Amino acid sequence: MMATIHDRMPVVPRPEDYQRWLSADPDPSELTRPFDDDAMTMWPITRRIMTVRNVAPEVISPIDPSANQVQQ
């Protein structure tokens, strides 16, 4: 799923792995396994998210990419 928007996947630790991920463990590399696509949801959002001045909850609201919405 992530490959459709970027070539890298951020680490998404599972709740049961939080403590180990934040610990001093010298090699938590097996915690970097891909997150289950079925547990994620993806929707189009405005490109306004790319500017730090746009700090508001609506920048992550779903948009209709086929509409002529202004992309600032």
Side-chain angles (χ1 to χ4, degrees):
M1 180 166 83
M2 288 299 297
T4 63
I5 58 174
H6 203 281
D7 65 341
R8 291 181 290 167
M9 170 71 180
V11 172
V12 181
R14 291 157 181 76
E16 62 270 18
D17 296 329
Y18 290 170
Q19 185 173 1
R20 177 145 179 247
W21 181 255
L22 296 172
S23 75
D25 186 331
D27 185 20
S29 60
E30 77 268 4
L31 299 181
T32 64
R33 63 192 180 272
F35 198 78
D36 182 16
D37 283 353
D38 293 335
M40 294 189 279
T41 305
M42 181 169 63
W43 60 87
I45 61 172
T46 178
R47 294 182 62 81
R48 292 181 56 230
I49 194 74
M50 312 247 323
T51 303
V52 296
R53 292 185 314 248
N54 298 319
V55 181
E58 60 270 9
V59 297
I60 62 169
S61 295
I63 63 165
D64 178 0
S66 63
N68 288 329
Q69 296 180 348
V70 176
Q71 300 285 311
Q72 298 177 5

